[in-house]
Amino acid sequence: WLEPLIDLVLSQGLVPDPQVLAALNQQKLLVAGIAFGLYRMLPELLFLWVGWRIITSGSIPPARMKFPMTVPRISGRNARMFGLLLVFVALGLLLHELQWVGRTLTPH
């Protein structure tokens, strides 16, 4: 669903010329790389947010978070350590994604 949207935005007011289409293709590669990289970061940002909520509330599941099934509550130091683990894993994955987007932005 993202690629047709990028095509629509980039092709506004386009004249059908081979040189313009080649430049548009290069521009599309750049925009698609950034868009897909940001799209891939959404789950990692969710893990970061949940880890932060666990750290601040000191319990699993975090305070005021509802689940459709019964979940045993874990609180105290073990919950905070799990929250720290989630935050560190999410930050590591975010760093990896940012490096991937950075490699996409640099010309080869």
Side-chain angles (χ1 to χ4, degrees), residues 29-92:
L29 286 173
L30 179 69
V31 171
I34 294 170
F36 284 124
L38 292 175
Y39 183 69
R40 287 174 44 171
M41 286 182 201
L42 290 178
E44 293 146 7
L45 290 171
L46 177 68
F47 280 125
L48 182 67
W49 176 73
V50 169
W52 181 254
R53 293 267 322 262
I54 290 172
I55 291 170
T56 57
S57 71
S59 68
I60 300 172
R64 297 180 309 274
M65 187 175 275
K66 305 292 183 201
F67 286 99
M69 65 256 176
T70 304
V71 178
R73 184 167 295 276
I74 302 170
S75 60
R77 185 173 185 215
N78 289 339
R80 284 200 168 95
M81 293 300 285
F82 184 74
L84 279 173
L85 176 70
L86 271 178
V87 167
F88 285 134
V89 168
L91 287 175

Side-chain angles (χ1 to χ4, degrees), residues 82-101:
F82 184 74
L84 279 173
L85 176 70
L86 271 178
V87 167
F88 285 134
V89 168
L91 287 175
L93 290 172
L94 277 171
L95 178 66
H96 181 266
E97 292 297 326
L98 285 174
Q99 287 176 345
W100 184 80
V101 170

